[in-house]
């Protein structure tokens, strides 16, 4: 069981590192959301699974509580993370940020693009 | 007191990744970039808290991580709403 | 009558969640009496406050047990595989920096809110795609695709078998 825990911890750390690097290296907001959301969700999933396995191995009241709470944290992350990133992507598009070197932008064509009277916060690039 | 060393090491590594994300929080050219960096940091903080809860054998830290996950989600949604249409 | 059914179902679900949360709090791995009391009061309040919101537009179908089984199969099978592939894909793009992004539009023919949410979250966590907006009236999805092969794709070209899974699990 210890081998399993070490493997989960290593996978989790590796993919979280990849998420942080993707956040630095990608060229615009949307690609950054891609990298950061996918990689940190996957990495955190394995980190938290390692803790859940550790709790089950320990057993008893304390270990069981740890496993159950870790599992609940996992479920919440898996449900809330993609929804939050979806909201951020839509907000970025509506606040007027163009996708970097996009070959096609159907969302702007459909009239859901930035509004004419925009009161949102703007920073010039 | 640390009772499970591998979890503590993993938690320390996560702190390093959080600092890497803070670079983007500082230099991000638009407000949306900063919001994305903050969202990523929130996820990493939840994972770090769970790992440190196992490392120090404190179940309380896992409860804090649960509440933090839900509250940071609400915070992200409000920031997104603010970026979309301002304070209204 | 319908209102009462909505309240009680929501309250029961919240109470079940609270039972999971507070397991191992009493003797022999069972629940402590004060935890049960607090859980009952909280479940009642939450059920009264949010009952009518939870079961809008076809939400009742989620109570069928065979859908939960299908959902578990989906989670450990195609979803986990696609998620692992997505992460390796991101790793490759971080190293080579080769991207060809764009926002495409397609219609997966999903009617209920639950089905659309399910598909949107699946798309966000799987290779190269990120849901940006959903048109409430027509059900069109706007997806940021990191490697555009076709400016007006079909649903299958973008997200593979996921619309079929969404229909099976959530509609």
């Amino acid at each position: 069981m210890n081998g399993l825990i070490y493997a989960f911890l290593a996978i989790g750390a590796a993919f979280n590192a990849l998420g942080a690097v993707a956040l630095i290296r990608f060229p615009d907001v949307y690609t950054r959301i891609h990298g950061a959301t996918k990689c940190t969700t996957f990495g955190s999933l394995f980190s938290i699974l390692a803790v859940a396995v550790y709790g089950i191995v320990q057993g008893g009241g304390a270990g069981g509580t740890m496993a159950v709470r870790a599992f609940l944290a996992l479920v919440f992350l898996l449900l809330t993370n993609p929804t939050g990133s979806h909201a951020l992507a839509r907000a970025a598009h509506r606040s007027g940020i163009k996708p970097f070197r996009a070959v096609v932008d159907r969302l702007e064509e459909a009239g859901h693009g930035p509004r004419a009277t925009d009161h949102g916060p703007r920073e010039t690039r | 007191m640390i009772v499970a060393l591998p979890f503590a090491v993993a938690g320390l590594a996560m702190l390093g990744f959080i600092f890497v994300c803070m670079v983007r929080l500082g230099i991000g050219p638009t407000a949306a970039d900063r919001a994305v960096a903050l969202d990523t940091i929130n996820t990493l903080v939840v994972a770090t808290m769970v790992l440190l809860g196992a490392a120090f054998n404190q179940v309380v830290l896992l409860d804090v991580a649960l509440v933090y996950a839900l509250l940071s989600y609400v915070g992200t949604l409000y920031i997104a709403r603010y970026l979309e249409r301002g304070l209204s | 009558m319908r209102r009462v059914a909505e309240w009680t179902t929501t309250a029961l679900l919240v109470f079940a969640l609270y039972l999971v949360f507070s397991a191992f709090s009493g003797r022999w791995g069972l629940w402590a009496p004060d935890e049960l009391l607090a859980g009952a009061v909280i479940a009642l309040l939450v059920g009264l406050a949010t009952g009518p919101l939870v079961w809008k537009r076809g939400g009742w179908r989620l109570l069928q047990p065979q859908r939960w089984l299908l959902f578990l199969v989906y989670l450990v099978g195609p979803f986990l595989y696609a998620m692992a592939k997505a992460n390796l894909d991101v790793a490759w793009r971080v190293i080579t920096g080769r991207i060809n992004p764009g926002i495409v539009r397609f219609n997966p023919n999903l009617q209920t809110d639950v089905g659309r949410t399910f598909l949107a979250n699946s798309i966000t966590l799987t290779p190269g795609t990120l849901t940006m907006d959903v048109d409430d009236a027509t059900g069109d999805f706007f997806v940021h695709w990191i490697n555009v092969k076709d400016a007006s794709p079909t649903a299958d070209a973008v997200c593979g078998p996921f619309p079929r899974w969404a229909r099976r699990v959530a509609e």
Side-chain angles (χ1 to χ4, degrees), chain B residues 2-73:
Chain B
I2 295 173
V3 294
L5 194 61
F7 291 101
V9 174
L12 266 183
M14 300 287 263
L15 282 183
F17 308 150
I18 290 174
F19 276 112
V20 174
C21 292
M22 275 184 179
V23 174
R24 179 52 73 192
L25 192 68
I27 65 173
T30 63
D33 283 304
R34 293 173 215 268
V36 173
L38 190 67
D39 189 42
T40 312
I41 289 176
N42 282 333
T43 314
L44 290 179
V45 165
V46 172
T48 312
M49 273 186 196
V50 172
L51 285 173
L52 290 185
F56 292 102
N57 206 13
Q58 297 276 326
V59 178
V60 183
L61 276 177
L62 272 81
D63 292 349
V64 176
L66 271 178
V67 175
Y68 189 92
L70 291 176
L71 283 185
S72 73
Y73 169 60

